[in-house]
Protein backbone atom coordinates (compact mmCIF):
# COMPACT_ATOMS: atom_id res chain seq x y z
CA UNK A 1 0.00 0.00 0.00
CA UNK A 2 1.06 3.57 -0.61
CA UNK A 3 2.42 5.51 2.34
CA UNK A 4 1.03 8.73 3.76
CA UNK A 5 1.91 11.07 6.63
CA UNK A 6 -0.33 12.92 9.05
CA UNK A 7 1.61 15.94 10.32
CA UNK A 8 0.39 18.04 13.25
CA UNK A 9 1.23 21.69 13.83
CA UNK A 10 3.12 20.78 17.01
CA UNK A 11 5.55 18.67 14.94
CA UNK A 12 4.07 15.26 15.72
CA UNK A 13 4.18 12.93 12.70
CA UNK A 14 2.14 9.77 12.14
CA UNK A 15 3.19 7.25 9.47
CA UNK A 16 0.41 5.25 7.87
CA UNK A 17 -1.08 3.86 4.68
CA UNK A 18 -2.98 5.97 2.19
CA UNK A 19 -6.54 5.32 1.02
CA UNK A 20 -9.13 7.36 -0.79
CA UNK A 21 -7.74 10.21 -2.88
CA UNK A 22 -3.99 10.42 -3.46
CA UNK A 23 -3.88 14.20 -3.02
CA UNK A 24 -2.65 16.17 -0.02
CA UNK A 25 -5.02 18.01 2.30
CA UNK A 26 -4.97 20.36 5.28
CA UNK A 27 -7.48 21.18 8.03
CA UNK A 28 -8.32 21.05 11.71
CA UNK A 29 -8.06 17.48 13.02
CA UNK A 30 -10.83 16.35 15.39
CA UNK A 31 -12.06 13.03 16.75
CA UNK A 32 -15.46 11.39 16.97
CA UNK A 33 -16.35 8.49 19.26
CA UNK A 34 -19.24 6.89 17.36
CA UNK A 35 -18.93 3.14 16.93
CA UNK A 36 -21.20 3.10 13.87
CA UNK A 37 -22.62 5.69 11.49
CA UNK A 38 -19.43 6.64 9.68
CA UNK A 39 -21.34 7.36 6.46
CA UNK A 40 -23.61 9.89 8.19
CA UNK A 41 -20.57 11.36 9.96
CA UNK A 42 -18.51 11.80 6.80
CA UNK A 43 -21.42 13.49 5.02
CA UNK A 44 -22.30 15.84 7.91
CA UNK A 45 -21.68 19.45 6.72
CA UNK A 46 -20.74 20.39 10.30
CA UNK A 47 -17.35 18.75 9.62
CA UNK A 48 -16.54 21.25 6.86
CA UNK A 49 -12.81 21.99 6.76
CA UNK A 50 -11.89 19.25 9.24
CA UNK A 51 -9.91 16.01 9.17
CA UNK A 52 -12.06 13.49 11.03
CA UNK A 53 -10.48 10.84 13.27
CA UNK A 54 -12.55 7.79 14.25
CA UNK A 55 -11.70 6.41 17.69
CA UNK A 56 -13.43 3.09 16.95
CA UNK A 57 -10.68 0.83 15.55
CA UNK A 58 -12.38 -0.67 12.47
CA UNK A 59 -14.20 1.61 10.03
CA UNK A 60 -15.89 0.74 6.72
CA UNK A 61 -17.06 -2.80 7.51
CA UNK A 62 -20.57 -2.30 6.08
CA UNK A 63 -19.54 -0.09 3.17
CA UNK A 64 -21.46 2.86 1.73
CA UNK A 65 -25.13 2.75 0.70
CA UNK A 66 -27.47 5.13 -1.09
CA UNK A 67 -29.75 5.89 1.87
CA UNK A 68 -27.66 7.12 4.80
CA UNK A 69 -26.10 10.32 3.47
CA UNK A 70 -26.65 13.52 5.45
CA UNK A 71 -25.66 15.74 2.51
CA UNK A 72 -25.04 15.24 -1.19
CA UNK A 73 -21.40 16.34 -1.12
CA UNK A 74 -19.13 15.54 1.86
CA UNK A 75 -17.35 18.56 3.34
CA UNK A 76 -14.51 16.90 5.27
CA UNK A 77 -10.86 17.50 4.36
CA UNK A 78 -9.71 14.01 5.26
CA UNK A 79 -10.30 10.85 7.29
CA UNK A 80 -8.18 9.03 9.87
CA UNK A 81 -8.74 5.53 11.26
CA UNK A 82 -6.85 2.64 12.83
CA UNK A 83 -7.99 0.07 10.27
CA UNK A 84 -9.99 0.41 7.07
CA UNK A 85 -12.21 -2.55 6.16
CA UNK A 86 -11.18 -3.67 2.67
CA UNK A 87 -14.09 -6.05 1.99
CA UNK A 88 -17.34 -4.62 3.40
CA UNK A 89 -20.27 -6.95 3.98
CA UNK A 90 -23.84 -5.72 4.18
CA UNK A 91 -26.95 -6.28 2.06
CA UNK A 92 -27.28 -2.51 1.49
CA UNK A 93 -23.64 -1.97 0.50
CA UNK A 94 -23.21 -0.24 -2.87
CA UNK A 95 -19.46 0.42 -2.71
CA UNK A 96 -16.56 0.39 -0.30
CA UNK A 97 -15.61 3.35 1.87
CA UNK A 98 -12.27 3.56 0.04
CA UNK A 99 -13.99 3.74 -3.36
CA UNK A 100 -16.40 6.38 -2.08
CA UNK A 101 -13.66 8.64 -0.70
CA UNK A 102 -11.68 8.17 -3.89
CA UNK A 103 -14.68 9.26 -5.96
CA UNK A 104 -15.12 12.34 -3.77
CA UNK A 105 -11.38 13.23 -3.91
CA UNK A 106 -11.00 12.94 -0.11
CA UNK A 107 -7.73 11.53 1.28
CA UNK A 108 -7.52 9.11 4.18
CA UNK A 109 -4.87 7.49 6.34
CA UNK A 110 -5.01 4.21 8.25
CA UNK A 111 -2.64 2.18 10.35
CA UNK A 112 -1.73 4.91 12.81
CA UNK A 113 -2.14 4.98 16.59
CA UNK A 114 -5.50 6.77 16.83
CA UNK A 115 -5.41 6.50 20.62
CA UNK A 116 -2.24 8.57 20.72
CA UNK A 117 -3.72 11.11 18.31
CA UNK A 118 -6.91 11.36 20.37
CA UNK A 119 -4.89 11.95 23.55
CA UNK A 120 -3.00 14.77 21.83
CA UNK A 121 -6.26 16.42 20.77
CA UNK A 122 -7.74 15.97 24.25
CA UNK A 123 -4.71 17.56 25.91
CA UNK A 124 -3.90 20.31 23.40
CA UNK A 125 -7.29 20.88 21.78
CA UNK A 126 -8.19 20.48 18.12
CA UNK A 127 -5.02 21.17 16.13
CA UNK A 128 -4.21 21.99 12.52
CA UNK A 129 -2.89 19.06 10.53
CA UNK A 130 -1.78 18.01 7.07
CA UNK A 131 -2.31 14.78 5.18
CA UNK A 132 0.45 14.38 2.61
CA UNK A 133 -0.11 13.12 -0.89
CA UNK A 134 0.35 9.36 -1.28
CA UNK A 135 4.08 8.44 -1.29
CA UNK A 136 5.06 12.12 -1.42
CA UNK A 137 8.44 13.11 0.00
CA UNK A 138 7.83 15.92 2.48
CA UNK A 139 10.08 18.29 4.40
CA UNK A 140 8.61 17.97 7.90
CA UNK A 141 9.99 21.28 9.16
CA UNK A 142 8.54 23.15 6.20
CA UNK A 143 5.18 21.40 6.60
CA UNK A 144 4.99 22.31 10.30
CA UNK A 145 5.92 25.93 9.55
CA UNK A 146 3.19 26.06 6.89
CA UNK A 147 0.61 24.69 9.32
CA UNK A 148 1.57 27.13 12.06
CA UNK A 149 1.40 30.08 9.66
CA UNK A 150 -1.92 29.14 8.08
CA UNK A 151 -5.00 30.55 9.88
CA UNK A 152 -8.11 28.44 10.28
CA UNK A 153 -10.87 29.15 7.79
CA UNK A 154 -13.84 31.30 8.84
CA UNK A 155 -16.23 30.94 5.88
CA UNK A 156 -17.65 27.57 6.91
CA UNK A 157 -21.38 28.32 6.67
CA UNK A 158 -21.10 30.25 3.42
CA UNK A 159 -19.52 27.21 1.78
CA UNK A 160 -22.10 24.62 2.88
CA UNK A 161 -25.35 26.62 2.86
CA UNK A 162 -27.44 26.45 -0.36
CA UNK A 163 -27.23 29.36 -2.79
CA UNK A 164 -31.00 29.57 -3.31
CA UNK A 165 -34.20 28.56 -1.51
CA UNK A 166 -35.96 25.31 -2.41
CA UNK A 167 -39.17 23.59 -1.24
CA UNK A 168 -39.81 20.22 0.37
CA UNK A 169 -43.62 20.17 0.12
CA UNK A 170 -46.10 18.85 2.65
CA UNK A 171 -49.68 19.56 3.76
CA UNK A 172 -48.99 20.32 7.40
CA UNK A 173 -47.36 23.25 9.18
CA UNK A 174 -45.39 25.63 7.01
CA UNK A 175 -41.80 25.72 8.26
CA UNK A 176 -38.95 27.85 6.96
CA UNK A 177 -35.72 25.97 7.55
CA UNK A 178 -32.61 28.18 7.70
CA UNK A 179 -29.84 25.98 6.32
CA UNK A 180 -26.48 26.74 7.96
CA UNK A 181 -25.11 23.35 6.92
CA UNK A 182 -28.14 21.15 7.46
CA UNK A 183 -28.07 17.41 8.01
CA UNK A 184 -30.84 15.89 5.90
CA UNK A 185 -32.08 14.03 8.96
CA UNK A 186 -33.61 17.30 10.17
CA UNK A 187 -35.52 17.70 6.92
CA UNK A 188 -36.61 14.05 7.06
CA UNK A 189 -38.07 14.50 10.54
CA UNK A 190 -40.05 17.57 9.45
CA UNK A 191 -41.27 15.77 6.31
CA UNK A 192 -42.25 12.75 8.43
CA UNK A 193 -44.59 15.11 10.29
CA UNK A 194 -46.00 16.36 6.95
CA UNK A 195 -44.52 19.85 7.33
CA UNK A 196 -44.51 22.07 4.27
CA UNK A 197 -40.84 23.07 4.35
CA UNK A 198 -39.02 25.84 2.56
CA UNK A 199 -35.23 25.55 2.91
CA UNK A 200 -33.45 28.93 2.68
CA UNK A 201 -29.79 30.07 2.64
CA UNK A 202 -28.03 31.27 5.79
CA UNK A 203 -28.15 34.94 4.74
CA UNK A 204 -31.89 35.15 4.07
CA UNK A 205 -33.37 38.20 5.80
CA UNK A 206 -36.14 38.12 8.39
CA UNK A 207 -38.30 40.20 6.06
CA UNK A 208 -37.98 37.60 3.29
CA UNK A 209 -38.74 34.75 5.69
CA UNK A 210 -41.81 36.40 7.20
CA UNK A 211 -43.11 37.16 3.70
CA UNK A 212 -43.70 33.39 3.32
CA UNK A 213 -46.05 33.47 6.35
CA UNK A 214 -44.44 30.51 8.15
CA UNK A 215 -45.98 28.70 11.11
CA UNK A 216 -42.48 28.13 12.47
CA UNK A 217 -38.77 28.59 11.87
CA UNK A 218 -36.19 25.79 12.04
CA UNK A 219 -32.54 26.75 12.62
CA UNK A 220 -30.26 23.98 11.39
CA UNK A 221 -26.88 22.71 12.48
CA UNK A 222 -23.74 23.83 10.70
CA UNK A 223 -19.95 24.18 10.96
CA UNK A 224 -17.58 26.70 12.48
CA UNK A 225 -17.65 29.57 14.94
CA UNK A 226 -21.19 30.98 15.43
CA UNK A 227 -19.75 34.49 15.88
CA UNK A 228 -18.69 34.41 12.21
CA UNK A 229 -22.30 34.04 10.99
CA UNK A 230 -23.31 37.68 11.45
CA UNK A 231 -26.08 37.59 8.83
CA UNK A 232 -27.77 34.65 10.51
CA UNK A 233 -27.54 36.26 13.95
CA UNK A 234 -29.18 39.43 12.65
CA UNK A 235 -31.98 37.49 10.95
CA UNK A 236 -32.72 35.44 14.08
CA UNK A 237 -32.71 38.57 16.24
CA UNK A 238 -35.44 40.02 14.02
CA UNK A 239 -37.48 36.78 14.06
CA UNK A 240 -37.63 36.25 17.83
CA UNK A 241 -41.14 36.99 19.05
CA UNK A 242 -42.65 36.88 15.55
CA UNK A 243 -43.06 33.12 15.10
CA UNK A 244 -42.13 29.87 16.95
CA UNK A 245 -38.49 28.84 16.52
CA UNK A 246 -36.65 25.54 17.06
CA UNK A 247 -32.85 25.50 16.78
CA UNK A 248 -30.35 22.64 16.62
CA UNK A 249 -26.59 22.75 17.25
CA UNK A 250 -25.24 25.84 15.41
CA UNK A 251 -28.83 27.10 15.27
CA UNK A 252 -28.88 26.86 19.08
CA UNK A 253 -25.68 28.89 19.35
CA UNK A 254 -26.84 31.53 16.85
CA UNK A 255 -30.11 31.97 18.77
CA UNK A 256 -28.11 32.49 21.97
CA UNK A 257 -25.90 35.12 20.33
CA UNK A 258 -28.94 36.83 18.81
CA UNK A 259 -30.39 37.02 22.33
CA UNK A 260 -27.31 38.69 23.81
CA UNK A 261 -25.35 35.67 25.05
CA UNK A 262 -21.81 34.67 24.08
CA UNK A 263 -20.13 31.49 22.88
CA UNK A 264 -16.69 29.95 23.41
CA UNK A 265 -14.59 27.27 21.78
CA UNK A 266 -14.48 23.91 23.55
CA UNK A 267 -11.02 22.36 24.06
CA UNK A 268 -11.73 19.39 21.78
CA UNK A 269 -15.46 19.55 21.09
CA UNK A 270 -18.30 17.07 21.50
CA UNK A 271 -18.41 14.57 18.64
CA UNK A 272 -20.03 11.17 18.91
CA UNK A 273 -23.30 9.30 19.46
CA UNK A 274 -23.10 8.57 23.18
CA UNK A 275 -23.22 11.92 25.01
CA UNK A 276 -25.50 11.97 28.10
CA UNK A 277 -27.67 15.09 28.46
CA UNK A 278 -30.00 15.89 31.35
CA UNK A 279 -33.34 17.56 30.68
CA UNK A 280 -33.75 19.92 33.63
CA UNK A 281 -37.49 20.18 33.00
CA UNK A 282 -38.16 16.48 33.57
CA UNK A 283 -35.02 15.19 35.27
CA UNK A 284 -34.67 12.64 32.48
CA UNK A 285 -31.25 11.79 31.04
CA UNK A 286 -31.02 11.08 27.31
CA UNK A 287 -28.15 9.75 25.21
CA UNK A 288 -27.52 12.10 22.32
CA UNK A 289 -25.67 12.48 19.04
CA UNK A 290 -23.37 15.51 18.99
CA UNK A 291 -20.98 17.29 16.65
CA UNK A 292 -19.86 20.75 17.68
CA UNK A 293 -16.72 22.64 18.66
CA UNK A 294 -18.36 25.64 20.37
CA UNK A 295 -20.77 26.08 23.28
CA UNK A 296 -22.84 28.85 24.86
CA UNK A 297 -21.19 30.63 27.79
CA UNK A 298 -23.39 30.17 30.87
CA UNK A 299 -21.98 33.31 32.50
CA UNK A 300 -23.25 35.40 29.59
CA UNK A 301 -26.92 34.51 30.21
CA UNK A 302 -27.36 36.82 33.23
CA UNK A 303 -28.75 39.80 31.31
CA UNK A 304 -30.74 37.83 28.73
CA UNK A 305 -34.25 36.37 28.59
CA UNK A 306 -32.84 32.86 28.23
CA UNK A 307 -33.03 29.96 30.63
CA UNK A 308 -31.18 26.66 30.55
CA UNK A 309 -33.26 23.55 29.85
CA UNK A 310 -30.57 20.91 29.24
CA UNK A 311 -27.00 20.32 30.43
CA UNK A 312 -24.22 17.94 29.39
CA UNK A 313 -23.45 15.44 32.12
CA UNK A 314 -19.86 14.97 30.93
CA UNK A 315 -18.72 18.57 31.39
CA UNK A 316 -21.72 20.62 32.56
CA UNK A 317 -21.95 22.77 29.42
CA UNK A 318 -25.27 24.12 28.17
CA UNK A 319 -27.19 21.70 25.92
CA UNK A 320 -30.57 23.43 25.69
CA UNK A 321 -32.17 26.86 26.03
CA UNK A 322 -35.60 28.42 25.89
CA UNK A 323 -36.79 32.01 25.74
CA UNK A 324 -38.68 33.15 28.83
CA UNK A 325 -41.13 35.35 26.90
CA UNK A 326 -41.36 34.01 23.35
CA UNK A 327 -41.99 30.55 21.80
CA UNK A 328 -38.38 29.59 21.12
CA UNK A 329 -36.39 26.55 22.25
CA UNK A 330 -33.07 25.15 21.10
CA UNK A 331 -30.75 22.23 21.78
CA UNK A 332 -27.02 21.81 21.26
CA UNK A 333 -27.27 18.14 20.28
CA UNK A 334 -28.93 16.34 17.35
CA UNK A 335 -32.45 15.03 18.08
CA UNK A 336 -32.70 13.70 14.50
CA UNK A 337 -29.86 11.35 15.57
CA UNK A 338 -28.04 10.69 12.33
CA UNK A 339 -26.21 8.63 13.45
CA UNK A 340 -27.11 7.83 17.03
CA UNK A 341 -29.84 7.10 19.57
CA UNK A 342 -33.38 8.40 19.13
CA UNK A 343 -34.02 9.40 22.75
CA UNK A 344 -34.59 13.06 21.83
CA UNK A 345 -36.66 12.62 18.68
CA UNK A 346 -39.71 13.85 20.62
CA UNK A 347 -38.41 17.42 20.33
CA UNK A 348 -39.74 17.59 16.78
CA UNK A 349 -43.19 16.74 18.14
CA UNK A 350 -42.78 19.51 20.72
CA UNK A 351 -42.02 21.90 17.88
CA UNK A 352 -45.24 20.89 16.09
CA UNK A 353 -47.20 21.36 19.32
CA UNK A 354 -45.59 24.77 19.85
CA UNK A 355 -46.68 25.90 16.39
CA UNK A 356 -50.21 24.58 16.94
CA UNK A 357 -50.59 26.33 20.29
CA UNK A 358 -49.28 29.55 18.79
CA UNK A 359 -51.96 29.38 16.09
CA UNK A 360 -54.70 28.65 18.64
CA UNK A 361 -53.67 31.73 20.57
CA UNK A 362 -54.11 33.75 17.38
CA UNK A 363 -50.50 34.81 17.23
CA UNK A 364 -49.52 33.47 13.83
CA UNK A 365 -47.70 35.89 11.57
CA UNK A 366 -50.04 37.85 9.35
Amino acid sequence: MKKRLLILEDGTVFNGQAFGSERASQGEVVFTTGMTGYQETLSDPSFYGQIVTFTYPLIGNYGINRDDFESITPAIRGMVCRELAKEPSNFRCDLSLNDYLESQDIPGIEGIDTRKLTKIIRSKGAVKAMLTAADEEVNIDEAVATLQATPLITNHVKEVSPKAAYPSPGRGKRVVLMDFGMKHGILRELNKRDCDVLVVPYNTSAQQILAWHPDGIMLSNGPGDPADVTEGIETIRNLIGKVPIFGICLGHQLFALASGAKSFKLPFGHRGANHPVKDLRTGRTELTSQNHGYAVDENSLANTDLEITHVALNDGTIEGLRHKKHPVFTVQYHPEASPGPEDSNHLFDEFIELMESHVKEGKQHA
Side-chain angles (χ1 to χ4, degrees), residues 135-207:
D135 282 341
E136 179 184 16
E137 293 294 330
V138 177
N139 184 307
I140 303 299
D141 292 336
E142 290 182 1
V144 171
T146 298
L147 284 170
Q148 293 175 346
T150 304
L152 290 172
I153 57 178
T154 59
N155 63 338
H156 300 74
V157 170
K158 180 180 179 181
E159 291 300 315
V160 297
S161 182
K163 306 306 179 186
Y166 63 91
S168 183
R171 294 184 178 274
K173 297 298 180 186
R174 180 177 295 178
V175 176
V176 171
L177 198 168
M178 293 192 71
D179 185 345
F180 301 107
M182 172 189 68
K183 290 172 67 180
H184 283 178
I186 295 174
L187 186 57
R188 284 194 292 269
E189 291 299 329
L190 293 173
N191 289 154
K192 188 186 299 183
R193 291 158 176 82
D194 204 27
C195 291
D196 184 21
V197 183
L198 180 68
V199 182
V200 301
Y202 77 101
N203 55 356
T204 307
S205 70
Q207 183 180 9

Side-chain angles (χ1 to χ4, degrees), residues 257-335:
L257 268 60
S259 301
K262 296 180 180 179
S263 60
F264 67 97
K265 188 168 185 176
L266 293 163
F268 47 84
H270 297 167
R271 298 177 179 91
N274 55 355
H275 289 256
V277 169
K278 184 174 183 179
D279 186 336
L280 300 180
R281 304 168 301 173
T282 64
R284 180 185 179 188
T285 295
E286 300 176 350
L287 288 179
T288 68
S289 176
Q290 302 201 11
N291 177 16
H292 59 99
Y294 290 80
V296 176
D297 183 356
E298 183 175 354
N299 294 325
S300 70
L301 300 183
N303 297 317
T304 71
D305 288 318
L306 305 179
E307 67 178 14
I308 302 171
T309 58
H310 299 73
V311 295
L313 293 183
N314 286 339
D315 61 9
T317 53
I318 295 173
E319 290 284 347
L321 293 168
R322 81 172 186 90
H323 201 285
K324 296 177 182 178
K325 299 177 181 177
H326 302 300
V328 186
F329 72 99
T330 62
V331 291
Q332 180 64 81
Y333 51 92
H334 287 270

Side-chain angles (χ1 to χ4, degrees), residues 54-233:
F54 289 87
T55 61
Y56 190 71
L58 177 65
I59 299 296
N61 55 309
Y62 53 85
I64 297 290
N65 64 72
R66 68 175 190 175
D67 300 320
D68 293 342
F69 291 108
E70 287 301 311
S71 67
I72 296 175
T73 304
I76 65 169
R77 292 284 177 86
M79 176 184 157
V80 181
C81 65
R82 180 69 183 89
E83 180 182 354
L84 178 76
K86 308 300 188 299
E87 298 181 5
S89 177
N90 185 276
F91 73 98
R92 295 198 302 157
C93 177
D94 294 316
L95 73 166
S96 71
L97 176 55
N98 177 69
D99 290 343
Y100 172 68
L101 292 178
E102 192 174 44
S103 71
Q104 298 297 317
D105 198 28
I106 296 172
I109 184 172
E110 67 162 323
I112 74 165
D113 188 345
T114 52
R115 293 173 299 179
K116 178 180 177 180
L117 176 57
T118 300
K119 287 181 179 179
I120 291 174
I121 297 171
R122 284 183 60 89
S123 62
K124 298 184 178 180
V127 295
K128 289 179 286 185
M130 176 186 298
L131 284 170
T132 65
D135 282 341
E136 179 184 16
E137 293 294 330
V138 177
N139 184 307
I140 303 299
D141 292 336
E142 290 182 1
V144 171
T146 298
L147 284 170
Q148 293 175 346
T150 304
L152 290 172
I153 57 178
T154 59
N155 63 338
H156 300 74
V157 170
K158 180 180 179 181
E159 291 300 315
V160 297
S161 182
K163 306 306 179 186
Y166 63 91
S168 183
R171 294 184 178 274
K173 297 298 180 186
R174 180 177 295 178
V175 176
V176 171
L177 198 168
M178 293 192 71
D179 185 345
F180 301 107
M182 172 189 68
K183 290 172 67 180
H184 283 178
I186 295 174
L187 186 57
R188 284 194 292 269
E189 291 299 329
L190 293 173
N191 289 154
K192 188 186 299 183
R193 291 158 176 82
D194 204 27
C195 291
D196 184 21
V197 183
L198 180 68
V199 182
V200 301
Y202 77 101
N203 55 356
T204 307
S205 70
Q207 183 180 9
Q208 289 173 300
I209 289 174
L210 294 175
W212 282 302
H213 305 290
D215 296 304
I217 309 293
M218 184 86 223
L219 310 176
S220 86
N221 65 294
D225 185 344
D228 292 332
V229 194
T230 54
E231 301 96 329
I233 294 171

